[in-house]
Amino acid sequence: MGGGHMPIGRRERAKKDKRERIMTAAREQFAEHGVSGVTTQQIAHRADVAIGTLYLYASTKAELLIMVQNEKFAAAIDDGLAAANAAVGQGGVLERVVALICPVVACVREQIENGRTYLHELVFGDPAEPYRRAGLALAASLEDGITSLLTRDDYVDAADAATLARVITAIIHISTTATVYLHRSDEAVLADIRDQIRATLAPHHRAA
């Protein structure tokens, strides 16, 4: 017997195809109109599936948004981790943390309404719902990435790194979703986040 993978059955191929069509339709509709300007019926129509079929994959519009944004969020975290690793030796921990979060900020603000709604749903939605659970796992991986960078800093105690990472992710959340900051450019938001992180880390550097 060969060691290759078992072929995917027709039913599984059909399910995979429908899910991909739904994801593509949701991604396009949310990008074009924002989450508030789209209905699940419109997404089902563009995906060429019945509304009941769509609900088999995501029971609410919020879940559809989370499905789409999870993919974007995961790619942004991967890009950020790669950028942070490439920056090792080229600056202090602040610059490496900023390199990590830069793609994440761009992801959240790509379509501001969608990004704000996504983060709101992760924080306040049911954490047991599968798509939210996956999104929270991504948020945890971002926090872990920041923690890992902080533990490499000679001035940050390893015991404080995880707490500081939670503070930094809270800074990112507020700075990318608060209504009073919506008019700012990505560059201005990143600059403000950078200043807040520097102030957060400064007491540890002074103490050292």
Side-chain angles (χ1 to χ4, degrees), residues 70-80 103:
N70 277 351
E71 286 193 351
K72 294 177 178 289
F73 197 31
I77 293 171
D78 287 344
D79 289 346

Side-chain angles (χ1 to χ4, degrees), residues 30-79:
F30 289 142
E32 292 171 16
H33 306 292
V35 63
S36 66
V38 176
T39 67
T40 51
Q41 182 62 62
Q42 289 171 324
I43 293 172
H45 178 74
R46 180 170 288 196
D48 194 24
V49 299
I51 189 68
T53 299
L54 183 145
Y55 288 146
L56 294 175
Y57 294 84
S59 60
T60 66
K61 184 167 65 172
E63 288 182 17
L64 281 170
L65 177 69
I66 295 169
M67 286 173 61
V68 169
Q69 290 295 124
N70 277 351
E71 286 193 351
K72 294 177 178 289
F73 197 31
I77 293 171
D78 287 344
D79 289 346

Side-chain angles (χ1 to χ4, degrees), residues 82-143:
N85 288 331
V88 171
Q90 300 177 12
V93 67
L94 174 61
E95 301 309 322
R96 293 194 290 275
V97 171
V98 171
L100 168 55
I101 67 174
C102 184
V104 173
V105 171
C107 171
V108 174
R109 289 176 57 84
E110 180 181 11
Q111 213 291 358
I112 291 179
E113 183 192 14
N114 295 346
R116 295 176 79 201
T117 305
Y118 173 66
L119 293 182
H120 178 87
E121 287 290 337
L122 291 188
V123 172
F124 297 104
D126 180 4
E129 190 279 318
Y131 298 126
R132 287 186 179 85
R133 187 165 63 244
L136 290 170
L138 290 172
S141 72
L142 172 62
E143 193 172 294

